[in-house]
Amino acid sequence: MLVVGLMRLDDQEARLQEAFPEVEFKFYKHPSELPKEVQQEMDVLISYHPEVNETFIENAPKLKWVAWYATGVNSLPFETLKEKGVKLSNAGGVHAQQLTEFLFAYILDDYKELKEIYAEQQEKVYNHKRVTPSVKDQHILFLGTGKIPQRAAQVAQTLGMKTLGLNTTGHAANYFDETYPISERQQVYEKADIVVNLLPETDGTRYLLTAEDFKAMNNHTLFVNLGRGTIATEAVIVDSLKNKAIRKAYLDVFEQEPLDSNSELYQLDNVFMTPHISGSNADNMKLATDIFSNNLKSFLNNGELTENEVNVDRGY
């Protein structure tokens, strides 16, 4: 079996080669370096590059499995993978801890008024009378109830928060006090003090949130987007912040990336932004390889994947 990586995995390469001596591994820094003859012979592909498109898959006739070293798989040619019977896995869950840490950094920065306190520090004001709200008993609503939202909801419950979740059917999920179908979201917003998007990008979630969604939220709502920037248009988010439909937003992802320097978001004083870094963790490569390694053991044994297999019909 030939496994091809279109990225260098550093010390994880030796780890895989030692663990699977019966497998041939070839690693390249970028898809542009991949020889055509290797592409035609490979059985398994490790990558996260946009160059893995319909044409690329068509030119890999022996390919049986794409191991995507990222969570979002929306750039891949699902129909082609389905037609050729190519399995797909992703790195879902790898970013759970890092994203959760960023989420609560945002929330506590807001609730504990750290930016306001720092502004006073700059003015040499010693305001020992400041009183800040607690997150205890606050209702936090997650768009999505998968691995990452579950980790975040677990931390939220530890802090005494009430956890609400939206998913396709309203099915129960670990660490959620209440769950609802996403189709009922506009009736659920009024329960929430904080709304967090952690949905993947699919045909069903792209531009899911409209101006009506933000109008249905409480005007004291804190909105956090750690999922995909295409959950709403930039214009809708800007208008919602300008018109005070919501109180404040923390955004790590954007409709267009990189964010244009002329974006009106830069002009608002009730939004704080990070440049799509909330999932970046020095351990991501190892964690993704943990998933790949477990799957490869199963794949060699019976041709099946045991972790993070993506349903190409649903897109996640």
Side-chain angles (χ1 to χ4, degrees):
M1 176 174 287
L2 175 59
V3 175
V4 173
L6 298 185
M7 51 197 290
R8 299 313 303 256
L9 303 184
D10 302 325
D11 57 344
Q12 299 304 309
E13 294 179 12
R15 171 191 171 192
L16 288 171
Q17 289 164 338
E18 291 172 8
F20 301 97
E22 73 279 29
V23 174
E24 181 181 7
F25 292 92
K26 292 181 180 291
F27 296 98
Y28 302 91
K29 189 174 182 180
H30 188 269
S32 61
E33 298 180 0
L34 178 66
K36 293 294 183 184
E37 60 271 22
V38 175
Q39 182 175 359
Q40 292 171 358
E41 293 297 320
M42 64 185 180
D43 300 287
V44 179
L45 173 67
I46 296 172
S47 185
Y48 57 56
H49 296 86
E51 287 84 356
V52 181
N53 53 26
E54 182 178 352
T55 301
F56 184 99
I57 300 298
E58 294 282 359
N59 291 328
K62 294 186 178 180
L63 186 64
K64 303 175 185 68
W65 166 28
V66 174
W68 203 243
Y69 263 46
T71 302
V73 294
N74 50 287
S75 67
L76 287 164
F78 293 138
E79 288 303 316
T80 303
L81 293 173
K82 185 177 179 180
E83 289 170 8
K84 294 187 169 296
V86 178
K87 292 182 179 294
L88 174 63
S89 63
N90 70 358
V94 164
H95 309 289
Q97 181 67 26
Q98 187 80 344
L99 283 167
T100 296
E101 290 176 7
F102 262 95
L103 171 60
F104 284 95
Y106 299 149
I107 291 172
L108 294 174
D109 175 68
D110 174 56
Y111 272 65
K112 297 308 170 189
E113 301 175 3
L114 297 183
K115 287 186 171 61
E116 292 83 352
I117 293 170
Y118 181 70
E120 289 180 338
Q121 174 186 322
Q122 296 299 98
E123 297 297 323
K124 300 179 181 178
V125 173
Y126 188 81
N127 179 11
H128 67 284
K129 294 184 178 181
R130 180 183 291 275
V131 176
T132 61
S134 173
V135 297
K136 186 177 184 295
D137 295 326
Q138 292 290 281
H139 288 65
I140 183 168
L141 171 64
F142 292 91
L143 279 67
T145 60
K147 292 181 180 179
I148 295 173
Q150 285 180 29
R151 175 58 178 141
Q154 181 184 22
V155 172
Q157 287 187 337
T158 300
L159 291 172
M161 304 175 78
K162 306 301 181 184
T163 55
L164 316 175
L166 295 171
N167 55 41
T168 306
T169 63
H171 59 268
N174 292 334
Y175 307 111
F176 283 91
D177 297 314
E178 302 172 25
T179 52
Y180 303 88
I182 203 161
S183 59
E184 298 177 8
R185 63 190 184 279
Q186 293 191 9
Q187 288 72 53
V188 182
Y189 290 140
E190 65 180 13
K191 295 174 176 280
D193 303 294
I194 303 167
V195 175
V196 182
N197 175 48
L198 282 165
L199 288 170
E201 182 179 325
T202 67
D203 290 341
T205 64
R206 197 173 292 112
Y207 301 116
L208 176 71
L209 301 188
T210 66
E212 295 306 310
D213 284 272
F214 287 96
K215 288 176 183 176
M217 297 179 192
N218 295 306
N219 57 15
H220 69 264
T221 293
L222 172 66
F223 176 69
V224 182
N225 191 4
L226 294 168
R228 287 292 178 264
T230 52
I231 194 69
T233 66
E234 182 177 313
V236 162
I237 293 175
V238 167
D239 287 346
S240 299
L241 289 165
K242 288 174 66 175
N243 298 328
K244 309 298 183 187
I246 56 175
R247 178 175 59 84
K248 187 184 291 184
Y250 284 77
L251 308 175
D252 185 56
V253 290
F254 307 90
E255 182 184 13
Q256 298 295 328
E257 295 185 3
L259 187 63
D260 192 290
S261 60
N262 294 318
S263 169
E264 196 169 357
L265 286 168
Y266 284 117
Q267 309 305 317
L268 303 178
D269 61 6
N270 58 342
V271 62
F272 298 96
M273 302 179 289
T274 48
H276 204 152
I277 59 171
S278 62
S280 300
N281 186 327
D283 291 333
N284 283 354
M285 193 75 74
K286 177 187 179 300
L287 295 171
T289 302
D290 288 345
I291 295 171
F292 175 75
S293 182
N294 291 337
N295 274 331
L296 184 55
K297 290 175 187 176
S298 176
F299 193 73
L300 290 170
N301 183 46
N302 57 29
E304 299 298 325
L305 306 180
T306 57
E307 292 186 44
N308 287 28
E309 184 166 5
V310 173
N311 183 322
V312 294
D313 288 322
R314 294 183 307 191
Y316 60 92

